[in-house]
Amino acid sequence: MQRDSLFRFGGEFRDSEREAIFQAARLPETLRQCRLIFLISALLNTFFLVSDWRFFGTPHFIIAVPARLSVVAVSILCAVLIRRATRFKQAEAVTVLWEVGCAVAVAFLVSSRSDLALFVVLLLPSIFYLVAPISFRWTFILGFCTSALMLVGYLGAGPFPSTFVGLVLVLAMLNFALGLVVIHANRLRRLEWTATQSERAAKEELDESRAMIERLFMAVPIPLVVTSVADGRFVRANDAALRFFGKGAGDDLREVAVPDVFVDAESRRSLTRLLLRGEHVGEFEAAIRDGAGTSRDALITATSLSMGQSSTIVAGIVDITERKAAEAHVRWQATHDALTGLPNRLLFQERLQEALAGLGDGETVSLFLVDLDDFKSVNDTLGHDAGDALLNEAAARLLRHAAAGDLVARLGGDEFVVLSTEAIDVPGAEAKAERLLAALRGPLSHLGHAISSRASLGIALAPQHDRAPIELMKDADLALYRAKALGRNMAVVYDSGMRDAMNARVAICRELAEALAQDRLLPFYQPQVSLVTGAIDGLEALARWRHPERGIVPAAAFVHGLEDPETASAIGDVILRKAIADLSNWLATGITVPRVWVNIAPAVFRDPLFSEKLLAQLAAAGVPTSCFGVEVTETVLLARTAGDAERALKTLRENGVCVALDDFGTGYASLTHLRRFPVDVIKIDRGFVRHLDEGGEDAAIVRAIINLAADLKLDLIAEGVETRKQEAFLRQCGCNFAQGYRYSRPVPANRVPWLSQQSCLRPVEPAMDADRGGVAAA
């Protein structure tokens, strides 16, 4: 307590409210002290009254008896009144009444100047100063006034004694000394009370803190334990810990030792080492046993704590078993395919990176990229449940025939991959790929339907081909692309030429995209001639590139770019639009053109509204459908869009647009496909026509195609006719129409009017092969 919180004069609290609190706290003691003073005063003065009877008949008796009776009466009255006091002010008022009554009576008593009168003059103020429990203000006032009253009473009955001045000085010194004593006593009492209150408050706060900590310790929903460092025993445990370790309320864990709890002793030693290094360890994962002996994953937070002379550890235990199981489940869902249960692309990429990062000398990492052939047709014809069944069966077969350490993953759609770390060379990889393809080729039965299962496969090996995960995956993808381009249902190993071809294709596609943006693609027209009359029967629109440096570039020069479906579709749209516009202009100016043929890229049939859009274009341009024909290659019959192509071609044919099958005889399509699709014209591939002069197999094939077309009542056009001998062979076998450099090179649109005026195209001498493709390449 600060010194200035007490009055220097009086020793009481400066704060009146604090002083009132102090007095209220001491009220019971004050009341007891007052009652004792009043009773002793009454009792002593009664004894003195009895003793004063010996002065009966003397003047002293007449003074003493009334004075004693007054003191006794005042004391008894105050003793009665003090019992009704409930506040300090009331007790103080009763005490002041008692002091005033006693002072007046005793002042009358000492006027007799008896032998004890002088002693009483000095004693009574001292009693008032030292015994009466009242405020310092009243203590000092009553003490001083009593001294003065005693002096007046003692001196008032006769002449002043010779010691008068000394008596006054003694009383003055007595009041001063007693005042200092009272001040000191007041200060001591208040300082003691303050210290006691502070100690009590501190003890109460400490008790409350302990109680609160105990309640918190017991109420915390996670297990909390206190263990001894010396013997590893549990010292304390809260309710959650008791429940966790299979104990009931009121039990303890003193018989359990920490080593018995940890599943792995090394985990306990690691936790101890961490605590020795620092006093706190947070989020330490360990496996511990619960009350049933079951291993649980726990997150432990521990702190070293000294309890008296012993060292202990306070630890909180959070059961994360369910959380880790949920995390593992989420991780599994994030890294596995929901349909097949195989690892997905994310997990595959992680394992591929790990395998390539740990690749040592003499070791091999192999990728077998698998793509199911004709998977879309299964979904389209039998439904997605059949497709899902095929995917699940393919996954199961790959798992059965992969090596024990291989990773089989589904990358998405109908694409799978097998990651192998077997030390194999290229022949070994090819043999393994054939085993995988053979496993996939077996038919699958689903709801009474037999589903054909075949696949194409690309192979890439590290470190032979690449060591970077992304590049190795590109290598496998390029090999798979080559397998599909070669006819599918086969495995192909990557070689560097595939990367070069891809780079060339990317470069030409970029140039073609720029050419499309600059409108540098345009159609040239090559006539189709009747071998009987020499008259023009139709014109095929062929894509040409008006190159800013190389001039007019034929399609054969950018055929690699046309392998990209988007690029091919974009060029096809341009050629189709410009061919319709040219035909519309010719018809508007009276130029007779029997028919214009435009080759349609397979990717176009992905649009289910293609046929409607084409018919709308023809109608908008005022072009009769009888003047327009579309050519499709045999690859359309085998593509995933074959069903869409069939529907689109039927719609066009029903509306008068002729349909021609281009490059017939290259070996992809079967007669079943030919009968299925609506075809008006068959075009013999130039590869067969080129070697007609030599006879042999090509001549036999052409003869068979001509006979087939005649039996099916289909028109026939031979492409690439360049010599008289080729023309003569075709005419002799019954082929009606031909197309090639023998009759005309492809010409721009402004030359078609002149060409159409020729009643018979005069055959030219055999020319060099300068053009290898029509819009088929576009």
Side-chain angles (χ1 to χ4, degrees):
M1 184 181 65
Q2 298 179 354
R3 294 183 60 185
D4 60 1
S5 63
L6 296 175
F7 285 112
R8 294 176 180 271
F9 184 73
E12 295 177 334
F13 288 110
R14 293 179 180 272
D15 186 356
S16 58
E17 293 184 2
R18 186 169 178 79
E19 179 67 21
I21 294 173
F22 168 75
Q23 297 294 358
R26 291 178 54 85
L27 181 61
E29 181 182 351
T30 301
L31 294 176
R32 287 194 299 271
Q33 185 176 352
C34 290
R35 286 194 297 268
L36 183 60
I37 293 173
F38 300 155
L39 292 176
I40 292 175
S41 174
L43 185 60
L44 288 176
N45 281 279
T46 300
F47 288 150
F48 284 130
L49 180 60
V50 173
S51 175
D52 286 341
W53 280 100
R54 58 190 174 90
F55 298 110
F56 183 75
T58 66
H60 178 72
F61 180 79
I62 296 173
I63 295 174
V65 171
R68 298 292 184 190
L69 288 174
S70 298
V71 172
V72 171
V74 170
S75 298
I76 293 174
L77 175 63
C78 289
V80 173
L81 293 176
I82 202 65
R83 293 183 177 276
R84 300 181 181 178
T86 57
R87 293 180 291 111
F88 174 75
K89 291 297 184 181
Q90 294 174 341
E92 185 179 49
V94 174
T95 305
V96 169
L97 174 62
W98 175 77
E99 289 191 22
V100 171
C102 290
V104 172
V106 173
F108 178 71
L109 179 62
V110 298
S111 63
S112 64
R113 293 189 180 180
S114 63
D115 296 337
L116 296 176
L118 186 58
F119 174 74
V120 173
V121 168
L122 300 175
L123 178 62
L124 189 60
S126 301
I127 292 174
F128 287 173
Y129 270 109
L130 301 178
V131 178
I134 56 177
S135 61
F136 179 76
R137 178 184 57 183
W138 283 109
T139 299
F140 182 77
I141 293 173
L142 291 176
F144 179 80
C145 292
T146 299
S147 297
L149 188 61
M150 291 299 101
L151 185 60
V152 170
Y154 183 76
L155 298 177
F160 289 174
S162 58
T163 58
F164 170 74
V165 176
L167 182 59
V168 172
L169 292 176
V170 167
L171 286 174
M173 291 178 61
L174 178 64
N175 276 270
F176 178 75
L178 290 175
L180 293 178
V181 171
V182 171
I183 292 172
H184 182 65
N186 284 344
R187 293 181 64 85
L188 287 180
R189 279 195 294 270
R190 283 157 179 77
L191 290 173
E192 179 184 2
W193 178 80
T194 301
T196 302
Q197 291 297 107
S198 299
E199 181 181 0
R200 182 182 294 114
K203 186 176 181 303
E204 289 176 354
E205 289 180 3
L206 180 60
D207 291 343
E208 289 177 0
S209 297
R210 287 176 177 172
M212 182 180 66
I213 292 173
E214 180 67 17
R215 287 194 298 272
L216 288 174
F217 179 80
M218 298 304 294
V220 169
I222 65 172
L224 295 178
V225 295
V226 181
T227 62
S228 172
V229 176
D231 56 9
R233 294 285 175 181
F234 285 87
V235 179
R236 287 291 310 278
N238 67 351
D239 292 339
L242 293 175
R243 290 192 298 270
F244 181 83
F245 290 107
K247 301 293 183 180
D251 294 339
D252 56 41
L253 300 174
R254 296 183 184 276
E255 73 279 3
V256 181
V258 174
D260 300 333
V261 172
F262 279 86
V263 174
D264 182 13
E266 181 57 32
S267 296
R268 178 177 60 85
R269 288 191 287 269
S270 297
L271 178 59
T272 303
R273 285 194 296 269
L274 291 173
L275 282 170
L276 290 175
R277 233 179 269 138
E279 294 183 352
H280 179 77
V281 174
E283 298 187 353
F284 181 85
E285 288 193 26
I288 62 175
R289 296 183 181 89
D290 60 11
T294 305
S295 176
R296 309 287 293 179
D297 293 316
L299 195 65
I300 301 174
T301 301
T303 302
S304 299
L305 180 67
S306 296
M307 295 180 63
Q309 300 299 322
S310 353
S311 296
T312 60
I313 295 173
V314 179
I317 304 171
V318 179
D319 189 349
I320 58 173
T321 306
E322 284 74 18
R323 190 187 81 184
K324 293 197 72 173
E327 289 175 352
H329 180 64
V330 171
R331 168 67 179 172
W332 191 93
Q333 288 183 316
T335 57
H336 287 75
D337 175 51
L339 176 64
T340 63
L342 293 178
N344 62 9
R345 184 182 295 273
L346 175 63
L347 183 56
F348 161 72
Q349 289 174 342
E350 291 179 0
R351 297 291 174 82
L352 178 60
Q353 289 178 352
E354 293 172 2
L356 292 176
L359 187 63
D361 295 337
E363 296 180 343
T364 304
V365 173
S366 308
L367 285 186
F368 300 86
L369 192 58
V370 181
D371 189 89
L372 301 182
D373 296 334
D374 299 324
F375 176 73
K376 186 177 184 300
S377 64
V378 175
N379 276 336
D380 293 342
T381 57
L382 299 179
H384 288 279
D385 57 336
D388 291 345
L390 177 58
L391 291 173
N392 279 314
E393 181 62 22
R397 293 179 183 182
L398 289 173
L399 283 172
R400 283 198 301 269
H401 291 83
D406 292 351
L407 174 73
V408 180
R410 182 188 177 200
L411 300 182
D414 58 349
E415 194 172 42
F416 297 85
V417 66
V418 178
L419 171 63
S420 175
T421 55
E422 289 183 289
I424 55 177
D425 54 8
V426 171
E430 290 178 327
K432 181 169 184 172
E434 285 302 325
R435 291 194 298 272
L436 294 174
L437 290 179
L440 292 172
R441 286 190 186 109
L444 167 68
S445 178
H446 176 72
L447 299 178
H449 297 283
I451 302 176
S452 175
S453 173
R454 298 186 307 168
S456 301
L457 193 150
I459 306 169
L461 286 76
Q464 292 94 318
H465 298 144
D466 266 302
R467 297 184 68 102
I470 296 178
E471 298 304 319
L472 190 66
M473 193 64 188
K474 286 182 181 178
D475 296 343
D477 200 37
L478 288 171
L480 176 63
Y481 181 85
R482 177 65 60 86
K484 287 185 171 295
L486 293 176
R488 305 186 178 188
N489 192 28
M490 66 176 66
V492 173
V493 180
Y494 168 80
D495 65 64
S496 58
M498 298 178 187
R499 183 67 66 101
D500 296 337
M502 180 195 70
N503 292 335
R505 186 165 61 252
V506 171
I508 196 67
C509 285
R510 188 182 304 114
E511 291 186 46
L512 287 172
E514 184 177 351
L516 286 167
Q518 297 174 356
D519 194 25
R520 292 184 174 275
L521 275 298
L522 71 160
F524 269 45
Y525 299 93
Q526 188 174 35
Q528 297 167 344
V529 178
S530 170
L531 292 178
V532 177
T533 65
I536 297 175
D537 185 72
L539 299 170
E540 180 181 0
L542 304 173
R544 291 295 182 266
W545 178 3
R546 191 173 63 250
H547 198 279
E549 298 175 358
R550 293 154 52 191
I552 300 299
V553 178
F558 54 88
V559 66
H560 290 300
L562 300 175
E563 295 175 0
D564 179 66
E566 293 184 3
T567 303
S569 295
I571 293 177
D573 290 342
V574 170
I575 300 302
L576 179 63
R577 175 173 50 82
K578 291 188 175 182
I580 293 175
D582 289 340
L583 181 56
S584 176
N585 291 333
W586 296 330
L587 294 175
T589 56
I591 298 173
T592 301
V593 177
R595 182 177 285 109
V596 171
W597 296 88
V598 177
N599 199 293
I600 304 300
V604 170
F605 294 106
R606 295 174 184 172
D607 183 1
L609 300 178
F610 164 71
S611 57
E612 287 78 3
K613 292 178 180 177
L614 176 56
L615 293 172
Q617 282 182 276
L618 294 172
V623 174
T625 56
S626 59
C627 296
F628 196 81
V630 295
E631 297 183 8
V632 294
T633 60
E634 290 185 347
T635 55
V636 172
L637 310 184
L638 300 175
R640 292 180 177 179
T641 56
D644 298 329
E646 180 182 3
R647 288 187 292 272
L649 294 176
K650 283 183 178 179
T651 300
L652 293 175
R653 196 162 179 260
E654 289 170 356
N655 285 273
V657 177
C658 288
V659 177
L661 184 59
D662 196 13
D663 297 336
F664 185 77
T666 53
Y668 294 127
S670 67
L671 295 180
T672 302
H673 288 110
L674 182 61
R675 186 179 62 182
R676 170 186 168 190
F677 278 81
V679 175
D680 299 294
V681 178
I682 293 177
K683 300 187 73 174
I684 302 175
D685 184 75
R686 70 183 63 246
F688 298 116
V689 175
R690 182 182 299 117
H691 301 290
L692 286 180
D693 297 345
E694 304 171 7
E697 294 181 354
D698 287 344
I701 291 174
V702 169
R703 191 179 294 112
I705 293 175
I706 293 173
N707 293 332
L708 174 65
D711 291 340
L712 295 177
K713 295 181 173 53
L714 298 175
D715 287 333
L716 191 66
I717 300 175
E719 293 184 301
V721 178
E722 298 179 354
T723 67
R724 290 189 179 93
K725 290 183 179 180
Q726 293 170 352
E727 178 183 337
F729 180 89
L730 293 169
R731 186 184 299 114
Q732 182 182 355
C733 291
C735 181
N736 298 326
F737 301 97
Q739 175 183 344
Y741 286 171
R742 177 164 177 78
Y743 312 104
S744 173
R745 291 177 178 272
V747 298
N750 58 7
R751 291 287 295 166
V752 170
W754 174 86
L755 201 63
S756 65
Q757 294 174 1
Q758 310 304 313
S759 59
C760 179
L761 290 182
R762 180 179 297 175
V764 297
E765 293 301 319
M768 298 299 294
D769 183 11
D771 191 292
R772 292 293 183 186
V775 188

